Amino acid sequence: MEINKRNKNKWWKSAVIYQIYPRSFADSNKDGIGDLQGIISNLDYLENLGIDAIWLSPVCKSPQDDNGYDISDYQDIDPMFGTLEDMEELIKEAGKRNIRIIMDLVLNHSSDEHYWFREAKKSKENPYHDYYVWRDGKEGMPPNDMRAAFGGSAWEWVSEVQQYYFHQFSVKQPDLNWENPILRQEIYDMINWWTEKGVGGFRLDVIDQIAKEPDKRITNNGPRLHEFLRELSRETFQKADLVTVGETWGATTELAKLYSNPDNSELSMVFQFEHICLDQIEGKEKWDLAPLPFMKLKEVFKRWQTELYGKGWNSLFWNNHDLPRIVSRWGNDGKYRIESAKMLAILLHGMQGTPYIYQGEELGMTNASYDIEEYRDIETLNVYKERLEKGCMEEDIMRSIHAKSRDNARTPMQWNEEENAGFTEGKPWIKVNPNYKEINASQQVDDEDSIFRCYQELIRLRKSYPVFTEGDFQMLFMEDENIFAYAREDETLQLLVVCNFYDQTVSCSLEERIASMKLLISNYKDIDQSTLLRPYEARMYLRKK
Ligand code: NOJ
């Protein structure tokens, strides 16, 4: 196969990617859990939206301790989702609609039920022992006090081998030892096997954590990270025309230039979280809520847009399966739900990068505020328990959970007004958001004023004008505390995006800027080129130079 040396003019630069969380998307066999056939039967909906690729959260065999991010067989499909034949059918059916399938690769850890780990814990001499990260501990205690992301110690004792293994996530997600070249080769073979099946790319789960060095307390960005990534890319991704996106919580713009270097030596793009972590108390956890510092949000976007220009590639997103719904978070899920959802979409989709739409975002789906019994997510249940034990007030814990629980994103896709929002004819694995009668796909697809139609139009526009992909970026009204505005420009076009981020009317001195510009899209019907921006008003203009 031809080696891809540079990633200029790559298809994924003008693509829009849609993320599916399979267990919550569509259930075809009435067991209450979404599956591959459910996805296949909704491909026409996605084609109509206009997306180019689907990032599929993990569907490989898994005990589902962390909803599939704990894989016990990387080369088989979990029966809950279907079979390998279903997966092949999905790749083929999506392909017919020019939609590529991006697999979620969980390479930092496996499930403790993976064959490798079951062997690894039998004895220190077992050939698989060194596939994982083991330490003897000190006087009957773990080697250090590192904590796992989902609570508790990052070390777990195994009496058969008289050692502790390292796990950055749950105890059922032992970390893989990337120092071991035999393990690395197994991983490359597995990836190449999927590539030959015709997948269009890979999303790499917590990829900046693979080069951990727990003795030095290093988790992110370990010293050998880029060496590992280059080898991984050379042995796998560069052999085909793939998109690769690295989940990198610890990325700075400098690191992102390495990960997404246009020489294609590592990955296509980063998926970084600097903007999305702003509404928490600095230095604390996401549960420690703080209001969004709007000026900081502008500064962060400006920095990423300008510093990566020509030197790297970023993802554009508000949501994924780990994040609360953006319309509830930074928009307004009451009176201005439609306006604010569209404003957030317009604001994001005018920038440089590859946009990701998370299932239901295109409908303006909202957070769910359930009682604790309705939550299913391991992280949410653990924090509830841990904080109660620490003496926190239940009311405060629930406030954090309502705002930030990952289950906000995982309630079933709202297809129509029928029972269970049309997601399943069985009993859904997690409660459907009760607002499905007001918010659902069947109502929006044919309504030209819907949020769905706004996303559809944004996707169409991105494909029509190269300025979206290639234009530079200039932040406007930087000191304004309500307005998010920017201009972009390439050789032939100028693009202008102006958004009122809040629910009060504000004035904005746009006169000269919008003169002779054409309005491409907005979220109010009666646009009169006025300089007053109504609550959450957003406009996008274009001019030929
Ligand atoms: C990041 C994934 O997005 C999240 O859902 C998962 O729990 C962790 N990585 C561990 O795999």
Side-chain angles (χ1 to χ4, degrees):
M1 273 183 272
E2 193 199 330
I3 306 286
N4 288 296
K5 287 263 162 45
R6 291 193 62 81
N7 65 21
K8 204 169 176 279
N9 304 326
K10 284 292 200 177
W11 63 269
W12 41 261
K13 290 195 167 179
S14 55
V16 176
I17 297 176
Y18 187 91
Q19 185 191 351
I20 289 184
Y21 196 63
R23 62 162 51 229
S24 302
F25 192 64
D27 174 23
S28 73
N29 64 353
K30 308 184 189 181
D31 65 355
I33 303 169
D35 45 49
L36 294 175
Q37 285 299 334
I39 299 174
I40 294 170
S41 60
N42 285 292
L43 285 170
D44 291 342
Y45 169 83
L46 299 175
E47 184 184 23
N48 181 22
L49 181 58
I51 54 120
D52 303 274
I54 294 170
W55 152 21
L56 203 59
S57 276
V59 288
C60 289
K61 222 173 216 164
S62 159
Q64 304 289 326
D65 183 54
D66 183 20
N67 288 0
Y69 284 90
D70 47 318
I71 294 177
S72 55
D73 187 342
Y74 289 90
Q75 287 171 260
D76 204 355
I77 299 297
D78 197 284
M80 161 192 295
F81 296 124
T83 61
L84 208 48
E85 288 71 44
D86 291 327
M87 186 65 189
E88 284 161 352
E89 188 183 332
L90 173 62
I91 295 170
K92 200 165 123 226
E93 285 301 317
K96 283 188 198 159
R97 296 163 176 84
N98 291 321
I99 295 174
R100 308 184 203 219
I101 301 294
I102 300 172
M103 296 272 298
D104 208 322
L105 276 180
V106 189
L107 305 179
N108 175 68
H109 45 268
S110 73
S111 161
D112 65 339
E113 296 182 32
H114 194 290
Y115 173 75
W116 297 340
F117 191 76
R118 287 192 278 120
E119 286 295 307
K121 67 178 190 190
K122 284 185 179 161
S123 81
K124 287 182 197 163
E125 288 69 44
N126 189 290
Y128 292 98
H129 188 71
D130 195 40
Y131 277 34
Y132 295 87
V133 182
W134 300 93
R135 296 293 182 269
D136 292 341
K138 290 181 191 144
E139 293 156 14
M141 297 286 284
N144 59 33
D145 63 356
M146 288 175 80
R147 310 277 299 165
F150 297 155
S153 169
W155 298 98
E156 184 72 10
W157 178 249
V158 175
S159 57
E160 290 99 313
V161 289
Q162 295 285 301
Q163 281 185 317
Y164 292 88
Y165 69 84
F166 183 62
H167 62 92
Q168 300 191 61
F169 294 90
S170 98
V171 71
K172 286 183 66 63
Q173 293 166 298
D175 267 59
L176 289 163
N177 176 19
W178 274 72
E179 300 286 333
N180 181 344
I182 305 171
L183 164 82
R184 298 206 299 274
Q185 190 56 50
E186 291 240 30
I187 288 176
Y188 305 153
D189 293 345
M190 174 274 286
I191 294 174
N192 291 333
W193 182 84
W194 276 114
T195 303
E196 273 164 32
K197 291 220 169 290
V199 300
F202 299 96
R203 177 262 185 186
L204 295 111
D205 189 66
V206 290
I207 197 66
D208 58 351
Q209 294 179 216
I210 59 171
K212 53 249 158 187
E213 293 200 2
D215 304 316
K216 297 187 199 140
R217 313 180 74 86
I218 295 175
T219 52
N220 270 336
N221 303 320
R224 296 189 68 191
L225 179 61
H226 296 283
E227 174 196 333
F228 290 154
L229 284 177
R230 287 195 189 113
E231 183 184 277
L232 166 67
S233 174
R234 213 172 41 239
E235 297 296 326
T236 60
F237 311 141
Q238 289 174 27
K239 296 181 183 178
D241 182 22
L242 299 171
V243 62
T244 52
V245 48
E247 187 197 23
T248 51
W249 284 86
T252 57
T253 51
E254 285 314 303
L255 287 169
K257 288 180 208 165
L258 293 176
Y259 295 126
S260 63
N261 191 319
D263 72 3
N264 201 24
S265 54
E266 296 191 11
L267 305 171
S268 314
M269 68 184 97
V270 289
F271 198 94
Q272 58 76 31
F273 295 83
E274 192 175 350
H275 62 299
I276 224 72
C277 291
L278 291 173
D279 57 356
Q280 68 192 53
I281 300 175
E282 225 183 306
K284 295 258 199 140
E285 295 180 309
K286 71 176 188 183
W287 311 106
D288 301 302
L289 310 178
L292 172 70
F294 179 60
M295 303 309 270
K296 181 85 185 156
L297 180 76
K298 297 213 287 191
E299 186 271 312
V300 170
F301 269 115
K302 177 183 171 203
R303 180 154 36 79
W304 280 90
Q305 286 291 303
T306 48
E307 292 187 13
L308 247 57
Y309 187 69
K311 299 187 177 134
W313 200 256
N314 201 359
S315 305
L316 301 170
F317 69 94
W318 292 124
N319 289 280
N320 75 7
H321 64 292
D322 294 330
L323 302 172
R325 295 282 180 180
I326 198 61
V327 71
S328 300
R329 188 180 191 178
W330 295 347
N332 177 318
D333 61 9
K335 185 172 171 198
Y336 295 113
R337 186 182 65 86
I338 296 176
E339 289 82 355
S340 66
K342 290 180 184 174
M343 179 277 287
L344 289 159
I346 293 170
L347 188 158
L348 196 72
H349 284 243
M351 293 195 210
Q352 186 174 57
T354 300
Y356 287 72
I357 301 170
Y358 178 71
Q359 62 184 47
E361 176 184 341
E362 76 281 14
L363 307 174
M365 276 178 62
T366 67
N367 278 354
S369 291
Y370 296 158
D371 293 338
I372 192 66
E373 294 72 41
E374 303 290 352
Y375 286 88
R376 300 288 176 265
D377 171 33
I378 181 173
E379 184 192 51
T380 305
L381 299 175
N382 284 354
V383 79
Y384 179 79
K385 207 165 131 250
E386 261 193 8
R387 291 202 165 193
L388 269 189
E389 279 163 11
K390 270 201 223 148
C392 299
M393 301 268 295
E394 195 190 4
E395 201 184 313
D396 293 336
I397 306 174
M398 288 316 294
R399 189 174 317 115
S400 299
I401 288 177
H402 290 158
K404 292 283 180 73
S405 169
R406 306 196 295 182
D407 281 342
N408 282 310
R410 301 176 182 186
T411 62
M413 177 74 175
Q414 294 168 204
W415 291 106
N416 54 43
E417 285 185 26
E418 285 158 36
E419 205 182 349
N420 299 322
F423 161 70
T424 180
E425 287 176 40
K427 184 177 177 325
W429 71 277
I430 187 169
K431 191 176 154 183
V432 177
N433 192 318
N435 63 19
Y436 69 90
K437 295 209 166 144
E438 296 93 69
I439 305 174
N440 62 64
S442 94
Q443 184 199 68
Q444 293 196 31
V445 170
D446 297 323
D447 171 3
E448 61 178 32
D449 295 325
S450 67
I451 302 169
F452 177 92
R453 287 292 194 93
C454 175
Y455 273 89
Q456 190 186 47
E457 180 61 6
L458 285 167
I459 296 172
R460 196 190 66 76
L461 290 170
R462 286 189 70 90
K463 295 190 185 309
S464 309
Y465 303 106
V467 65
F468 283 94
T469 318
E470 298 300 338
D472 65 4
F473 182 92
Q474 192 198 352
M475 196 64 130
L476 305 174
F477 306 108
M478 193 60 190
E479 305 307 319
D480 194 291
E481 291 180 0
N482 300 288
I483 294 170
F484 196 119
Y486 56 88
R488 299 192 54 202
E489 198 168 324
D490 66 6
E491 287 102 51
T492 55
L493 296 168
Q494 282 176 333
L495 183 75
L496 174 68
V497 176
V498 189
C499 302
N500 176 0
F501 207 82
Y502 292 103
D503 63 358
Q504 301 295 314
T505 298
V506 289
S507 78
C508 181
S509 45
L510 286 169
E511 297 90 336
E512 279 172 31
R513 288 187 191 279
I514 58 175
S516 78
M517 289 194 104
K518 175 180 145 209
L519 185 70
L520 281 184
I521 188 168
S522 79
N523 58 350
Y524 277 81
K525 269 192 181 164
D526 50 339
I527 292 289
D528 56 0
Q529 306 286 72
S530 141
T531 55
L532 285 183
L533 293 174
R534 287 160 285 186
Y536 300 103
E537 184 162 345
R539 305 182 198 166
M540 187 181 270
Y541 294 96
L542 188 78
R543 169 172 41 212
K544 291 217 168 64
K545 286 188 358 191

